[in-house]
Amino acid sequence: MRLRCAVLDDFQDAALRSADWTPVQDRVEVVVLREHIADEDELAARLADFDIVVTLRERVPFPASLLERLPRLKLLVASGMRNSVIDFAAAQRCGVTVCGTASSSTPPVELTWALLLGLARCVVTENNALREGGPWQSTVGADLHGRRLGLLGLGKIGSRVAQVGLAFGMQVAAWSQNLTGERADEVGVELAASKEELLRSSDFVSVHLALSDRTRGLLGARELALLKPTAYLVNTSRAAVVDQDALLAALREGRIAGAGVDVYGTEPLPADHPMRTAPRLLATPHLGYVSQANYTTYYGHAVEDIQAFLAGEPVRRLG
């Protein structure tokens, strides 16, 4: 009897097209689930007959309460090598092996600049007007050259965003709790004296921080009030770094020029979520890691993880 493998949240029906699954097809039946299942009871029932689950990034939490209801589950493959929504201790207790995949930082860097440029040059507004017979030029774009780009975080992604900013001729500064002058010098950017100074002085602020107890709610109402009324905020990192209610209030009241957001506290966003209709917001449905190259890696490595597990020698183990 073949094992059964569920591939979760394949919204674009891309999983089977992004990798060669033939190495495991004789021993594994692969079933693609395209619709997101948010309810834990429904998910537990849907996955009850599967031995293997492949999940993308952190779309679906796997707490102890879910893992304990999946006695048949033996292998959980999550794209990327870091995952905050899997209870690894519970997985171990339940006899579930958890494996990851490689992941490129290039796609979120590129999407960060897509959002920033889209905001600066009012691309959506002008495109809609052109297609709908609206005014020919109704906005005046913001310049990048000579403006200040403030980065919250200067890790793998933040440093690459910085390099693009420098190529545009921007003044680039960065801040995080652990950022040193030596690291800033390596990247060729200024170390901001404080978070507050970075926010006050920047024309564009982009968030590139991992979510932790220290970064959760790092930008609240007080911090957002420090931004210039002409400033733009971009968050392709983690929704919880920015207080969502405070951001919505700032956008509605016109206290900042705009925001570009790719991450949300609830995903997919409910149809009536205020983020869907907020003014001055350029929003994308968590596309940061969604690119053909990344999907090829995710699903290609998922196949390798399954092969290795079947051979009794799991690779890229997490937890």
Side-chain angles (χ1 to χ4, degrees):
M1 178 181 291
R2 290 194 299 170
L3 301 178
R4 302 192 76 219
C5 171
V7 179
L8 301 183
D9 288 344
D10 186 12
F11 301 143
Q12 306 96 336
D13 199 20
L16 300 184
R17 293 183 285 107
S18 297
D20 178 9
W21 293 78
T22 56
V24 299
Q25 68 181 8
D26 289 342
R27 297 184 61 185
V28 179
E29 175 193 0
V30 180
V31 178
V32 171
L33 305 182
R34 294 195 61 184
E35 300 300 321
H36 180 71
I37 304 173
D39 180 77
E40 186 174 307
D41 291 338
E42 183 181 353
L43 186 62
R46 191 69 180 85
L47 297 181
D49 295 329
F50 288 95
D51 310 275
I52 302 168
V53 171
V54 177
T55 183
L56 268 178
R57 304 297 293 168
E58 296 170 333
R59 284 182 183 173
V60 179
F62 281 85
S65 57
L66 175 59
L67 291 166
E68 290 165 357
R69 298 165 72 181
L70 301 174
R72 185 167 164 174
L73 181 64
K74 294 295 178 261
L75 175 64
L76 176 59
V77 178
S79 56
M81 290 301 292
R82 181 169 57 187
N83 195 298
S84 65
V85 300
I86 296 174
D87 187 329
F88 294 107
Q92 185 175 21
R93 288 197 309 271
C94 295
V96 179
T97 299
V98 184
C99 297
T101 75
S103 183
S104 172
S105 61
T106 299
V109 172
E110 294 173 351
L111 184 70
T112 295
W113 280 102
L115 290 173
L116 195 152
L117 287 165
L119 286 167
R121 300 307 295 267
C122 307
V123 171
V124 174
T125 298
E126 295 292 358
N127 175 70
N128 288 345
L130 186 146
R131 295 172 65 89
E132 296 167 4
W136 183 264
Q137 297 183 2
S138 63
T139 65
V140 178
D143 296 284
L144 302 188
H145 185 86
R147 298 299 180 89
R148 186 174 177 86
L149 171 63
L151 301 175
L152 289 166
L154 197 63
K156 185 183 298 184
I157 295 175
S159 60
R160 297 184 70 175
V161 171
Q163 293 167 0
V164 177
L166 292 170
F168 272 117
M170 302 183 79
Q171 303 170 19
V172 184
W175 177 90
S176 71
Q177 289 97 330
N178 297 326
L179 184 60
T180 64
E182 290 77 13
R183 171 60 179 164
D185 288 342
E186 287 177 8
V187 181
V189 305
E190 175 190 337
L191 173 63
S194 66
K195 174 181 65 176
E196 290 74 15
E197 188 275 329
L198 183 83
L199 296 173
R200 289 192 191 97
S201 63
S202 297
D203 300 293
F204 299 87
V205 174
S206 192
V207 180
H208 302 287
L209 294 167
L211 184 61
S212 68
D213 291 339
R214 292 197 305 169
T215 61
R216 187 179 298 275
L218 188 71
L219 297 187
R222 183 184 72 85
E223 288 78 15
L224 293 175
L226 299 176
L227 292 170
K228 303 175 184 178
T230 55
Y232 296 89
L233 175 69
V234 175
N235 186 9
T236 58
S237 182
R238 292 291 185 271
V241 175
V242 182
D243 184 306
Q244 301 297 283
D245 291 337
L247 176 59
L248 283 168
L251 292 169
R252 289 175 182 141
E253 297 165 15
R255 288 188 275 109
I256 59 175
V261 174
D262 186 50
V263 287
Y264 311 91
T266 301
E267 297 182 6
L269 276 179
D272 60 350
H273 196 284
M275 279 285 185
R276 289 185 178 269
T277 55
R280 303 177 180 85
L281 178 66
L282 177 55
T284 48
H286 205 155
L287 299 178
Y289 57 85
V290 181
S291 76
Q292 186 59 66
N294 244 3
Y295 270 32
T296 297
T297 297
Y298 290 165
Y299 293 116
H301 282 188
V303 174
E304 293 177 5
D305 289 349
I306 295 169
Q307 284 182 285
F309 175 80
L310 295 176
E313 299 179 351
V315 294
R316 291 185 285 265
R317 296 189 68 161
L318 302 180

